[in-house]
Amino acid sequence: MLRWLIGGGREPQGLAEKSPLQTIGEEQTQNPYTELLVLKAHHDIVRFLVQLDEYRFASAGDDGIVVVWNAQTGEKLLELNGHTQKITALITFPSLEACEEKNQLILTTSADRTVILWDCDTGRQVRKVSCFQSTIKCLIVLQRLDVWLSGGNDLCVWNQKLDLLCKTGHLSDTGISALIEIPKNCVVAAVGKELNVSFVTGSHVGEMIIWDILDWTVQACECSFWDPSPQLDTQQEIKLCQKPDDISIHHFTWDEENVFAAVGRGLYVYNLHMKRVIACQKSAHDSNVLHIAKLPNRQLISCSEDGSVRIWELREKQQLAAEPVPTGFFNMWGFGRVNKQASQPVKKQQENSPPCSLELIGDLIGHSSSVEMLLYFEDHGLVTCSADHLIILWKNGERESGLRSLKLFQKLEENGGLYLAV
């Protein structure tokens, strides 16, 4: 069971009803995150999280505030005030060469059409730019070139001193929604509703393309996330047309073997070597999956508009045993022979079905509204932010219990109480 550790925790209300197919019961033996810390500092939707170092992270959202936290204790370290409207992008920024102190910097942009460079060690504003004609939707830093780019209705290139070097003209009514660095000092800009990630691009019509980033050739294409089976009926096609979000690709993550895609309410694993979907969970959540992250030991974590955070494990399916060949007297007259026609559809179904499965091993209940983003700290657990204005640190209960016991013994030893007890 989950344990609420600090004041201000509240019982989650208004959560969407969970699908009975995904119920794993109260005893989640494979879920290590059995303790949580609830952090309160924001007054509106918290949309962005960024890791600063091994112990700190920053959060930002629609209240225009940036908050720096200690990921180990949940302590609020700094509150950065400077924007007058919601924050639309948040990234880390390399230390300035002119400064002797190599402090951690972050760059934020807002609907107030300003960009601010912050020092996360002191909380001061290093620089501010307010010459934009439209809202900036995304940021990217190219450390090799000592420049950073901003994307909105225009694509602008800046140096570390926040001086404008060059910019493009008006691109579209919707503007640039994502920027990705690729080799040869190039950048991929997604215009409109497309989401681009490294060598993989995905769209809101359920199409994913894997590109060769050197010669821009298509290496593989997948457009059947909403149903990995080859045949579809007419009713299902009509239903998909009525709900485009069901096939909309919202987020990607990847490793050397697989691409993990959040498609509508589902999760899909695409193997780069086999060039096919090897596992899927079409109803992983009750609403759209907004963010996913890879965990160790072939595990995946996802968060959704329904307020849930779920942990999955990629497992290989057990192959069915081959049909034994009948022998003996009755086999001479045809008794006991396998019906080849009946076995063919079953065999074909096994060949078309994904060879792996995504098994639910943890369901983290704590937020009462849409969970926008998550971060994974190897030593300090998980961080999630939500439209309920809260940030939650999910802690490994066994690890935290061991740390508390160690601190207790250390304190007793310092006070001499340990020797008195002996």
Side-chain angles (χ1 to χ4, degrees):
M1 299 294 291
L2 291 175
R3 189 180 306 160
W4 297 78
L5 295 182
I6 64 173
R10 64 181 184 183
E11 292 294 329
Q13 297 178 353
L15 291 175
E17 183 180 354
K18 298 295 182 294
S19 170
L21 297 177
Q22 304 299 340
T23 300
I24 58 176
E26 293 184 2
E27 298 300 327
Q28 302 181 28
T29 57
Q30 294 181 282
N31 177 16
Y33 303 107
T34 55
E35 296 184 0
L36 58 83
L37 292 156
V38 181
L39 312 182
K40 290 184 176 182
H42 291 277
H43 312 294
D44 210 328
I45 300 174
V46 188
R47 297 187 186 274
F48 303 103
L49 298 170
V50 64
Q51 184 173 348
L52 304 178
D53 50 38
E54 295 181 357
Y55 297 96
R56 296 181 301 165
F57 70 94
S59 61
D62 289 4
D63 56 6
I65 300 172
V66 180
V67 182
V68 180
W69 305 88
N70 184 311
Q72 184 177 15
T73 64
E75 178 187 0
K76 176 182 171 183
L77 302 176
L78 292 170
E79 182 175 306
L80 312 179
N81 292 278
H83 291 294
T84 58
Q85 295 185 41
K86 68 178 183 179
I87 291 174
T88 55
L90 167 68
I91 60 170
T92 56
F93 196 82
S95 300
L96 300 176
E97 295 181 357
C99 299
E100 295 182 0
E101 299 179 357
K102 300 300 180 181
N103 293 349
Q104 178 63 61
L105 305 176
I106 59 172
L107 201 62
T108 60
T109 183
S110 166
D112 61 11
R113 300 182 181 182
T114 64
V115 170
I116 300 178
L117 182 63
W118 304 90
D119 186 329
C120 290
D121 294 332
T122 63
R124 69 183 182 91
Q125 289 188 24
V126 180
R127 289 185 176 86
K128 184 176 182 178
V129 178
S130 55
C131 59
F132 298 97
Q133 301 299 318
S134 61
T135 300
I136 302 301
K137 299 180 181 179
C138 52
L139 300 167
I140 186 174
V141 176
L142 307 182
Q143 294 193 27
R144 292 178 302 167
L145 303 177
D146 292 330
V147 299
W148 60 277
L149 285 73
S150 62
N153 285 353
D154 299 315
L155 178 62
C156 302
V157 182
W158 311 78
N159 63 17
Q160 282 196 330
K161 297 180 180 180
L162 274 64
D163 298 323
L164 180 63
L165 302 179
C166 61
K167 74 173 184 176
T168 65
H170 188 78
L171 293 174
S172 71
D173 294 335
T174 53
I176 298 172
S177 59
L179 291 168
I180 301 297
E181 181 182 6
I182 61 173
K184 297 184 178 180
N185 299 331
C186 294
V187 173
V188 177
V191 180
K193 291 187 176 182
E194 288 190 349
L195 176 67
N196 296 265
V197 181
S198 187
F199 57 94
V200 182
T201 60
S203 73
H204 282 244
V205 294
E207 183 179 46
M208 184 183 79
I209 299 177
I210 300 173
W211 303 85
D212 186 319
I213 54 179
L214 297 179
D215 59 11
W216 291 100
T217 58
V218 176
Q219 300 298 303
C221 180
E222 182 69 35
C223 56
S224 58
F225 285 113
W226 39 279
D227 190 352
S229 60
Q231 295 182 351
L232 299 171
D233 56 41
T234 308
Q235 295 297 327
Q236 191 171 6
E237 292 181 0
I238 294 175
K239 181 180 179 181
L240 286 171
C241 293
Q242 292 174 345
K243 295 184 178 181
D245 280 347
D246 288 347
I247 58 172
S248 195
I249 300 178
H250 298 287
H251 193 238
F252 280 118
T253 188
W254 65 91
D255 58 21
E256 295 179 354
E257 298 180 0
N258 303 306
V259 176
F260 304 87
V263 186
R265 298 179 301 147
L267 298 172
Y268 292 78
V269 183
Y270 183 89
N271 187 273
L272 296 170
H273 304 293
M274 301 172 63
K275 295 185 178 180
R276 61 170 292 196
V277 174
I278 62 169
C280 68
Q281 191 64 254
K282 291 186 285 186
S283 297
H285 292 265
D286 297 320
S287 297
N288 289 331
V289 182
L290 299 181
H291 199 89
I292 54 178
K294 228 188 141 288
L295 303 180
N297 302 320
R298 293 171 65 88
Q299 292 180 0
L300 186 73
I301 185 166
S302 59
C303 60
S304 168
E305 290 178 345
D306 62 16
S308 63
V309 180
R310 292 180 170 178
I311 305 174
W312 309 86
E313 185 174 81
L314 182 62
R315 298 174 182 172
E316 293 185 2
K317 290 182 179 178
Q318 294 182 353
Q319 299 295 330
L320 297 176
E323 191 79 26
V325 178
T327 60
F329 173 78
F330 291 100
N331 186 46
M332 297 172 57
W333 306 99
F335 296 107
R337 289 184 179 175
V338 180
N339 189 333
K340 294 184 178 179
Q341 292 182 350
S343 62
Q344 284 179 355
V346 177
K347 184 178 180 180
K348 188 175 181 181
Q349 184 178 1
Q350 291 178 4
E351 292 176 352
N352 292 331
S353 64
C356 300
S357 63
L358 283 172
E359 300 295 331
L360 180 64
I361 62 173
D363 201 352
L364 309 182
I365 305 298
H367 288 291
S368 61
S369 190
S370 173
V371 182
E372 301 292 318
M373 193 175 179
L374 53 88
L375 275 181
Y376 169 66
F377 279 84
E378 185 175 355
D379 295 326
H380 306 302
L382 302 170
V383 187
T384 56
C385 63
S386 170
D388 60 11
H389 310 175
L390 300 179
I391 296 169
I392 295 182
L393 295 183
W394 306 88
K395 295 288 188 176
N396 185 317
E398 185 176 348
R399 183 180 185 275
E400 294 300 313
S401 178
L403 290 175
R404 286 192 293 268
S405 299
L406 181 61
K407 289 181 180 178
L408 178 60
F409 277 106
Q410 289 175 345
K411 190 173 183 181
L412 287 172
E413 188 175 1
E414 290 174 359
N415 297 334
L418 184 61
Y419 298 104
L420 292 176
V422 175

